[in-house]
Amino acid sequence: MVGLRLGPGQNIPEHRNAIPLALIVTVGHLHFDDGKNQGEVAAGEMLLINPGERHTYRAEIETSAYLVFAGLPGVRSRTWSLRRKR
């Protein structure tokens, strides 16, 4: 888990992660762009990012979030899914 704090106008440049990631916004909101979709994640909301997906985010106001990594680099991981297994 990593804490993230961005001031107004700050951004995280486009990048990819090797493992699944949950971005949980605790204060403010982040604008995200994955090349296909754009949107906003507000305080109390979560964004799930699968391994290898390019993405970037930026803050328009003071924003804090936690990045929760779900796995270890070099270990085969499965993509996120919110579907129930039957």
Side-chain angles (χ1 to χ4, degrees), residues 9 11-13 15 17 22-23 27 34 38-39 42-43 46-47 50-51 55-56 65 68-70 75-76 81 85:
N11 71 333
I12 303 295
H15 64 283
N17 299 331
L23 183 140
V27 175
D34 67 8
Q38 295 180 5
M46 175 174 60
L47 176 65
N50 287 311
H55 58 281
T56 183
V68 181
F69 296 90
V75 175
R76 188 169 180 259
S81 175
K85 293 191 182 220

Side-chain angles (χ1 to χ4, degrees), residues 14-64:
E14 185 179 282
H15 64 283
R16 293 186 289 181
N17 299 331
I19 57 178
L21 168 75
L23 183 140
I24 304 166
V25 177
T26 56
V27 175
H29 56 268
L30 287 175
H31 296 276
F32 73 89
D33 184 345
D34 67 8
K36 298 176 190 171
N37 301 300
Q38 295 180 5
E40 183 177 286
V41 185
E45 295 179 336
M46 175 174 60
L47 176 65
L48 301 176
I49 303 167
N50 287 311
E53 290 181 342
R54 293 183 183 274
H55 58 281
T56 183
Y57 12 88
R58 66 180 162 73
E60 303 263 328
I61 62 171
E62 188 77 29
T63 301
S64 297

